[in-house]
């Protein structure tokens, strides 16, 4: 039973056995055919030679036996040669087929044990080469996922540490009598707790967005009406800070197939940032237009701007240009990451542009329009 199991578990042995079976069957068929044809062939031969050797039955019998021995000997030599070839070919095939499979088996065990850097050698254009390439692609994805997971844990721990340290310092101050136990102190504590709460909410949203779990409910959206609604809702906050909020959207815009609530969420986020990073006396403009078969919405501000070296990173999670400033404003550095995921889930793109520090920023999102013909230019003032 053990031998049987070992045999079944070894592909090399099974390949070798299959070659031997072919050799055996081939030899058996040859032998049977020779046996079957021999009497007829011999009697024809003897009939032709009768004139020379006479009609001696002993001689005929001797001829028959000699002929059969010769055939058997030839068959034996041929079968041995074929058996040897089978061994050679199975050794070669085993190295060529079983070798890479074993390597992948070993690599997959290492990956399962947590070594995500494992890769296998990609040789040949055949199915085995294709399998090795697919294996390496899978390993690469696993490695990236693992790196993202580790980075996320590090980032989250870092983000939690700051508000927790503040709360701890405030409470210790009260306990030690350094800080008064008055509403102002507790208001500070409450602010830090709100920050933690917001962070937790943002993290849930981020993880859902990153794993593609946010289900979009598409409908035909009137973008002009949507922008007007969001602008109207946020206007009081802009007025309170003394930042002008304007809309520059043409009357005629094609409707967009999108998840209305998500577009509202993205726009609210961009306008919230624009308000936060624009000092009073500044101006924020929301534009919408059609370009290159896309419906584009831009939020343009005259605020603090973004230095060129930060621009490529601001959509990365937890990235803040000015850590202390943004944090004191309650920003978690996740808003733009979520916005990017949501726009991309619509098949769109989002990008930022800025002339530099102190020269304002423009955030533009582009949603693909399918089958639209109208193409109004952006409204310029
Ligand atoms: P936060 O919650 O910190 O605002 P975001 O992901 O929304 O996080 O933004 C990331 C960073 O991008 C911000 O911390 C800020 O430094 C920068 N940023 C975003 N919007 C603007 C803007 N309108 N003007 C200048 N900087 C901006």
């Amino acid at each position: 039973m053990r031998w049987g199991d070992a045999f079944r578990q070894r592909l090399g042995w099974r390949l070798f056995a299959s070659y031997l079976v072919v050799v055996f069957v081939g030899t058996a068929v040859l032998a049977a055919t020779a046996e079957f044809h021999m009497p007829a062939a011999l009697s024809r031969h003897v009939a032709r030679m009768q004139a020379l050797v006479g009609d001696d039955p002993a001689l005929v019998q001797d001829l028959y036996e000699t002929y059969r021995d010769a055939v058997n000997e030839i068959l034996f030599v041929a079968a041995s040669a074929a058996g040897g070839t089978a061994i050679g070919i199975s050794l070669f095939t085993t190295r060529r087929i079983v070798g890479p499979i074993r390597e992948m088996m070993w690599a997959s065990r290492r990956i399962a044990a947590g070594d995500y850097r494992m890769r296998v050698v990609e040789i040949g254009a055949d199915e085995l080469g294709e399998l090795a390439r697919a294996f390496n692609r899978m390993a690469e994805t696993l490695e990236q996922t693992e790196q993202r997971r580790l980075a996320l844990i590090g980032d989250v721990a870092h983000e939690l540490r700051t508000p927790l340290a503040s709360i701890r310092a405030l409470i210790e101050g009260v306990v030690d009598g350094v800080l008064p136990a008055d509403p102002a102190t507790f208001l500070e504590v409450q602010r830090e707790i709100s920050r933690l709460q917001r962070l937790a909410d943002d993290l849930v949203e981020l993880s859902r967005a990153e794993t593609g779990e946010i289900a979009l409910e598409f409908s035909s959206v009137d973008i002009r009406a949507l922008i007007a609604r969001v602008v109207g809702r946020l206007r009081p906050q802009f007025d309170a800070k003394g930042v002008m909020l304007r809309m520059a959207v043409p009357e005629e815009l094609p409707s967009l197939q999108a998840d209305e609530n998500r577009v509202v969420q993205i726009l609210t986020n961009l306008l919230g940032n624009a308000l936060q990073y624009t000092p009073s006396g500044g101006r924020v403009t929301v534009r919408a237009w059609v370009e290159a078969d896309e419906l584009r919405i831009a939020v343009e501000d005259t605020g603090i701007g973004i230095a060129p070296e930060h621009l490529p990173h601001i959509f990365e999670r937890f990235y803040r240009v000015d850590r202390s400033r943004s944090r004191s404003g309650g920003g978690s550095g996740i808003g733009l990451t979520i916005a990017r995921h949501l726009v991309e889930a619509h098949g769109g793109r989002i990008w930022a542009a800025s002339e530099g520090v102190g020269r304002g920023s423009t955030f533009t999102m582009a949603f693909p329009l399918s089958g639209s013909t109208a193409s109004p230019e952006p409204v310029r003032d």
Side-chain angles (χ1 to χ4, degrees), residues 21 33 48-49 69 86 98 108 114 126 178 183 190 212 227 260 268 275 284 290 293 341-343 367 380:
V21 168
T33 315
R48 274 206 306 276
M49 289 179 43
D69 288 349
V98 182
S108 63
D126 58 9
V178 184
Q190 193 190 41
I227 294 174
E260 189 162 353
T268 306
L275 175 63
V284 173
V290 173
D293 211 18
H341 279 293
L342 290 177
V343 173
F367 296 97
R380 291 281 163 212

Side-chain angles (χ1 to χ4, degrees), residues 256 290-296 366-375:
L256 181 71
V290 173
E291 186 177 327
D293 211 18
E294 290 174 328
L295 198 149
R296 297 189 177 177
F367 296 97
L369 280 173
S370 35
S372 96
T373 47
S375 178

Side-chain angles (χ1 to χ4, degrees), residues 172-180:
E172 278 176 2
V174 172
V175 171
D176 296 346
V178 184
L179 284 175

